[in-house]
Amino acid sequence: MSTRESASPDNAVQAATQHLLRTLIDSLPDRIYVKDRQSRFLLNNSAHLHALGATSQQDAFGKTDYDFRPVEFAARSHADDQNVMDSGRPLVNYEEPMQLASGETGTLLVSKYPLYGPDGELLGIYGISRDISEQKRLEEDLRQYTCSLEETVELRTQDLHAVNQELTALNQTLEAEILIRQQKESDILLREKQYRATTRLLTNADDNTTDLLKSVLNDAVRLVGAPEGYIGYFEEHGANFVVHHEIGAIADFYRTHLMPAVKLEQGLLSQV
């Protein structure tokens, strides 16, 4: 080729284009490479050379994954290369194991495509891969944290449910005790009112009326099964009772409950 031909505009454009493309792929953080039909490296960008541990294009040219990676990882990559070339179908965004510099196993997100020449002849493959080991680690940490949080929430929910049941039972017990206490207090107040009314009635009545009331009350006591002689005890100790009622309340009680069983003269009932 003459000097004039090598300096033609077409060659200059082609050289500029190749330089631009080379600069572009070398600036990308993703790993870009081209392999021939035997999975030998023909081209690598700077990120892929660094991942392989190669110092230059010449250091990696014509070599395979077996020259840079453990056998189990190299075999997996070689099998994927052959699958793409044999089927003619690309493998897009699949995860491939890799060995990190620390010796731990990481993960690559890989896409591989068949590479054809101008005449349609299969030349090999080209691929692009990205190290997603940190992303996978974060996803696993998040999954474990989520599981731990769900377990904690479940335990706390069970604890709260148990406490709620205990509080509900305690509240029911307290309500029952309050009702019983209120009923007892009502009964005590009713008895005190009745005692007070009877005491006033006996204290303020004249002798004849007192005798008649004693007879009526003794009959009433016998009707309700109280012990004999209760009225006499009441007379002796009535001053010690502390009660709250009017005389009319005991009269109403007598009219309602005792009148069918005790015969009282109209004049006596009116006095009461």
Side-chain angles (χ1 to χ4, degrees), residues 25-140:
I25 66 171
D26 279 339
S27 66
L28 294 176
D30 293 334
R31 306 168 183 183
I32 300 173
Y33 50 88
V34 177
K35 297 180 180 180
D36 64 15
R37 298 189 65 173
Q38 285 73 43
S39 292
R40 293 174 297 196
F41 291 114
L42 300 178
L43 178 68
N44 302 274
N45 73 341
S46 296
H48 194 240
L49 288 174
H50 178 74
L52 292 176
T55 58
S56 64
Q57 290 292 335
Q58 291 73 20
D59 190 24
F61 184 81
K63 296 181 180 179
T64 69
D65 287 297
Y66 288 99
D67 295 306
F68 300 100
R69 294 172 177 167
V71 173
E72 60 271 22
F73 298 120
R76 170 71 178 271
S77 179
H78 181 79
D80 291 338
D81 295 346
Q82 297 304 312
N83 183 29
V84 170
M85 288 185 282
D86 291 342
S87 66
R89 293 190 300 268
L91 293 175
V92 181
N93 290 336
Y94 73 98
E95 294 182 3
E96 184 177 280
M98 60 170 287
Q99 186 177 40
L100 301 175
S102 62
E104 299 177 334
T105 299
T107 305
L108 285 174
L109 185 65
V110 180
S111 293
K112 294 181 178 182
Y113 305 85
L115 176 65
Y116 297 98
D119 57 357
E121 179 185 5
L122 178 66
L123 301 179
I125 67 163
Y126 65 96
I128 180 171
S129 61
R130 177 180 300 174
D131 184 358
I132 59 171
S133 302
E134 182 65 14
Q135 176 184 334
K136 298 294 288 185
R137 186 187 66 78
L138 293 175
E139 289 176 354
E140 178 61 19

Side-chain angles (χ1 to χ4, degrees), residues 9-268:
D10 291 342
N11 291 338
V13 170
Q14 183 178 4
T17 301
Q18 290 177 348
H19 178 72
L20 176 62
L21 290 176
R22 183 69 202 187
T23 302
L24 177 62
I25 66 171
D26 279 339
S27 66
L28 294 176
D30 293 334
R31 306 168 183 183
I32 300 173
Y33 50 88
V34 177
K35 297 180 180 180
D36 64 15
R37 298 189 65 173
Q38 285 73 43
S39 292
R40 293 174 297 196
F41 291 114
L42 300 178
L43 178 68
N44 302 274
N45 73 341
S46 296
H48 194 240
L49 288 174
H50 178 74
L52 292 176
T55 58
S56 64
Q57 290 292 335
Q58 291 73 20
D59 190 24
F61 184 81
K63 296 181 180 179
T64 69
D65 287 297
Y66 288 99
D67 295 306
F68 300 100
R69 294 172 177 167
V71 173
E72 60 271 22
F73 298 120
R76 170 71 178 271
S77 179
H78 181 79
D80 291 338
D81 295 346
Q82 297 304 312
N83 183 29
V84 170
M85 288 185 282
D86 291 342
S87 66
R89 293 190 300 268
L91 293 175
V92 181
N93 290 336
Y94 73 98
E95 294 182 3
E96 184 177 280
M98 60 170 287
Q99 186 177 40
L100 301 175
S102 62
E104 299 177 334
T105 299
T107 305
L108 285 174
L109 185 65
V110 180
S111 293
K112 294 181 178 182
Y113 305 85
L115 176 65
Y116 297 98
D119 57 357
E121 179 185 5
L122 178 66
L123 301 179
I125 67 163
Y126 65 96
I128 180 171
S129 61
R130 177 180 300 174
D131 184 358
I132 59 171
S133 302
E134 182 65 14
Q135 176 184 334
K136 298 294 288 185
R137 186 187 66 78
L138 293 175
E139 289 176 354
E140 178 61 19
D141 289 346
L142 179 59
R143 186 192 66 80
Q144 292 182 4
Y145 176 76
T146 301
C147 291
S148 177
L149 184 60
E150 289 176 350
E151 291 176 357
T152 301
V153 170
E154 178 63 23
L155 290 176
R156 294 295 181 270
T157 301
Q158 293 176 1
D159 292 342
L160 289 175
H161 181 67
V163 171
N164 183 63
Q165 287 182 325
E166 292 177 0
L167 291 176
T168 300
L170 178 60
N171 184 60
Q172 292 174 347
T173 300
L174 291 175
E175 288 179 351
E177 291 179 354
I178 290 173
L179 289 175
I180 293 173
R181 183 181 296 272
Q182 290 176 342
Q183 184 61 47
K184 289 182 178 179
E185 291 176 351
S186 297
D187 293 344
I188 291 173
L189 289 174
L190 178 60
R191 287 196 296 270
E192 289 179 348
K193 290 177 182 179
Q194 294 172 351
Y195 295 156
R196 179 74 175 180
T198 303
T199 301
R200 288 181 179 179
L201 186 62
L202 293 176
T203 302
N204 297 328
D206 57 27
D207 293 341
N208 292 332
T209 303
T210 299
D211 292 340
L212 289 172
L213 284 173
K214 286 182 179 180
S215 177
V216 171
L217 291 174
N218 281 323
D219 289 340
V221 168
R222 282 192 294 271
L223 286 172
V224 296
E228 188 66 18
Y230 176 83
I231 296 301
Y233 177 85
F234 184 82
E235 272 189 321
E236 181 179 356
H237 302 284
N240 295 326
F241 286 91
V242 180
V243 293
H244 309 282
H245 201 342
E246 294 90 11
I247 298 174
I250 195 65
D252 290 339
F253 177 78
Y254 292 153
R255 289 190 186 97
T256 303
H257 301 286
L258 301 181
M259 194 171 181
V262 180
K263 295 180 179 180
L264 296 175
E265 293 182 3
Q266 183 66 35
L268 177 60

